[in-house]
Amino acid sequence: MSDSERSENRRREVDAILDRKPGTVSVTDLEDRYRVVGAADQGTYANWLTPVEDHYVCHRNETLEPDADSWTVALTGAVERDSTLGMDAIRDEYPTVAVAHTMECAGNGRGYFEPETGSVQWEYGAVSTAFWTGTPLRSILADHGAATDDDMWLTAVGGDRPEVEGENDLFARSIPLSKVLEDCILAYEINGQPLPPEHGHPVRLLVPGWYGVNSVKWVTELRVMEKMVHGPEWVDRDGDDYTRWQQSSYRIHPEGVEPESNATISTYDTWEQWESDEIDQPYTYDENVKSTIGYPEDGATVSPREDGTIEVVGVAWAGDDDVTAIEVSTDGGESWDDGSFFGPNYDCAWRLFRYLWEPSTGSYTLYSRATDEHGRRQPARISRPGEGSEDSEDAADDYPWNEGGYAENAFRPHAVEVTVE
Ligand SMILES: Nc1nc2c(c(=O)[nH]1)N[C@H]1C(S)=C(S)[C@@H](COP(=O)(O)O)O[C@H]1N2
Ligand SMILES: [Mo]
């Protein structure tokens, strides 16, 4: 396929997705590759559940639209019994569960990096919360006599293929088996509806609380392995580009660094990897602590209610960790007050927060800042390249600029400017 055909394909697909999803807008992709749409407005973040119509979408290759009746998922590797599961078996032969999951693209906030990094220029819009229905992988693996050792891996492969001739990078992600056994599912519904094509119809892996890239859509194979994908494991394919999604892309590292390939790692939490001596270029696994104000929206003019208050509302999350504190500043970060959480409280989904504000008329800059159960708090800003957070004046308040623009969680880029009348 020529570049212009591919580009046209992409535009046509994005337009079709936008038609189905009126709550989303298209987002700039400097690579002109990804099928991406993001939340249309900040008001999305004043609600706990994201309707499918508003849920962001992100994948690289052509959207698959397969027939569910003939779709199969191969289970291979360290299992007593290999098998090929059809959708009926996945639905009917195992327990059904629903999990709440805040899906965030590892590139959410990349558009705030200066200087600019490549790829999709997301601002705040690549995070959404939904209920995903499916089959616990634990049940399927147990039924096939799969190994259960904590330090093993499950690699999921997507059915999508690059449109570019000569590229054969299989979309393959390896998830530690401990996480898989804890709460991962093969999902076939979102918010009680069958998965739309762009969300991975008929079935995808869902890794609760971890960056979106781990939740492989259109799953065709699940392989139980001793190591994460790092070499030519898929011998039927020439070349080993499929390791890129595991070993090169979606890793956090400074400019010009080629991430080291690891056969296995023992620390999965994204931030913990950053702090550990074991991993120099963290894999984007669980989501960093972060928050977004949903009301009032940036640029709005608002009036207090009769009692003189305005309720600031937003969402805060910390991957599969708990978010334990939320602070709000209405004076551009000079002072902070505690907000409070309310509404649903699920393990791997964001929490709504509110803060009762009694402003006089004027212009204000609002920020929100969340802290997770490990005491990790959102930093203020994104550093410049080369200014490692350790050298900076206010190290704890810098998020490290990184070449891929991943896992950003600084609060200043999320400033909300409001006028109170
Ligand atoms: N097979 C496949 N799965 C994929 C991708 C992809 O390109 N191919 N993109 C990933 C990325 S980067 C993200 S952020 C999430 C987005 O899921 P959503 O579109 O359902 O929100 O899907 C992930 N799963
Ligand atoms: Mo993503």
Side-chain angles (χ1 to χ4, degrees):
M1 193 180 292
S2 74
D3 279 1
S4 65
E5 279 170 324
R6 183 170 51 72
S7 182
E8 213 169 285
N9 253 6
R10 173 176 112 82
R11 254 194 310 273
R12 201 179 44 241
E13 279 183 35
V14 169
D15 285 346
I17 295 170
L18 288 170
D19 273 351
R20 289 196 284 272
K21 288 166 144 313
T24 59
V25 292
S26 66
V27 185
T28 304
D29 172 17
L30 299 174
E31 266 193 86
D32 191 23
R33 292 294 296 262
Y34 281 81
R35 278 65 180 171
V36 277
V37 303
D41 54 63
Q42 235 180 310
T44 305
Y45 304 106
N47 298 294
W48 187 80
L49 191 72
T50 312
V52 181
E53 296 73 31
D54 303 349
H55 197 292
Y56 88 92
V57 171
C58 176
H59 55 266
R60 181 173 174 86
N61 305 319
E62 247 175 315
T63 307
L64 292 188
E65 304 212 19
D67 174 19
D69 293 337
S70 54
W71 190 261
T72 57
V73 179
L75 183 62
T76 61
V79 290
E80 277 164 17
R81 181 164 70 81
D82 277 12
S83 91
T84 304
L85 296 158
M87 287 308 299
D88 284 351
I90 292 170
R91 283 169 190 279
D92 303 337
E93 290 176 15
Y94 302 99
T96 302
V97 296
V99 300
H101 163 59
T102 293
M103 180 95 78
E104 182 182 21
C105 181
N108 195 33
R110 182 189 286 128
Y112 301 131
F113 280 62
E114 289 173 35
E116 182 178 88
T117 69
S119 196
V120 183
Q121 300 299 301
W122 296 111
E123 293 184 341
Y124 58 75
V127 56
S128 309
T129 294
F131 275 116
W132 297 83
T133 305
T135 306
L137 270 159
R138 188 195 313 119
S139 307
I140 297 178
L141 292 176
D143 184 37
H144 291 78
T148 53
D149 313 355
D150 252 9
D151 53 356
M152 294 192 64
W153 297 83
L154 183 78
T155 300
V157 179
D160 48 330
R161 291 290 175 272
E163 299 142 282
V164 177
E165 213 159 309
E167 284 189 15
N168 61 354
D169 40 345
L170 218 53
F171 196 88
R173 289 288 294 181
S174 300
I175 311 298
L177 202 55
S178 54
K179 173 70 176 173
V180 172
L181 295 172
E182 190 184 328
D183 59 6
C184 293
I185 67 170
L186 278 183
Y188 46 79
E189 285 178 10
I190 175 172
N191 292 346
Q193 306 164 39
L195 288 188
E198 62 271 16
H199 289 297
H201 176 85
V203 66
R204 78 181 300 170
L205 175 64
L206 198 87
V207 185
W210 288 24
Y211 285 112
V213 64
N214 299 292
S215 290
V216 177
K217 308 190 213 189
W218 313 290
V219 174
T220 57
E221 183 176 352
L222 295 166
R223 193 178 294 183
V224 182
M225 296 164 54
E226 300 260 325
K227 312 283 185 209
M228 60 165 95
V229 53
H230 72 292
E233 283 93 352
W234 269 264
V235 289
D236 51 327
R237 304 194 64 86
D238 40 5
D240 59 359
D241 278 357
Y242 54 81
T243 60
R244 91 178 253 185
W245 303 115
Q246 186 68 26
Q247 301 293 352
S248 334
S249 304
Y250 292 93
R251 302 277 302 273
I252 303 173
H253 59 82
E255 208 166 10
V257 170
E258 183 54 40
E260 60 182 333
S261 181
N262 295 286
T264 193
I265 57 170
S266 58
T267 304
Y268 312 124
D269 182 287
T270 307
W271 205 253
E272 216 169 281
Q273 290 178 56
W274 193 268
E275 287 171 341
S276 91
D277 295 332
E278 189 194 346
I279 307 298
D280 288 331
Q281 301 94 23
Y283 295 82
T284 44
Y285 279 151
D286 81 316
E287 299 157 13
N288 286 336
V289 62
K290 195 165 174 177
S291 63
T292 296
I293 291 172
Y295 181 85
E297 294 189 37
D298 188 32
T301 298
V302 287
S303 304
R305 302 183 289 207
E306 243 164 59
D307 65 357
T309 63
I310 288 175
E311 193 174 50
V312 178
V313 179
V315 287
W317 66 98
D320 62 11
D321 299 319
D322 287 342
V323 55
T324 50
I326 183 74
E327 299 162 281
V328 173
S329 174
T330 56
D331 57 9
E334 290 290 310
S335 65
W336 295 87
D337 283 326
D338 290 336
S340 53
F341 293 117
F342 69 104
N345 187 2
Y346 291 89
D347 275 351
C348 297
W350 60 29
R351 302 238 33 212
L352 281 165
F353 68 82
R354 69 172 149 223
Y355 170 69
L356 214 54
W357 182 32
E358 283 187 67
S360 32
T361 56
S363 298
Y364 297 88
T365 302
L366 273 50
Y367 293 125
S368 65
R369 177 170 81 175
T371 304
D372 73 12
E373 61 180 294
H374 304 291
R376 295 182 288 226
R377 193 174 72 183
Q378 287 183 255
R381 58 187 79 75
I382 305 168
S383 77
R384 307 282 299 186
E387 288 172 35
S389 38
E390 281 148 42
D391 322 323
S392 146
E393 268 170 50
D394 199 358
D397 254 359
D398 271 3
Y399 181 78
W401 187 99
N402 62 87
E403 192 173 84
Y406 294 126
E408 183 276 322
N409 71 339
F411 65 79
R412 283 192 188 274
H414 292 265
V416 170
E417 310 283 350
V418 289
T419 304
V420 177
E421 274 185 1

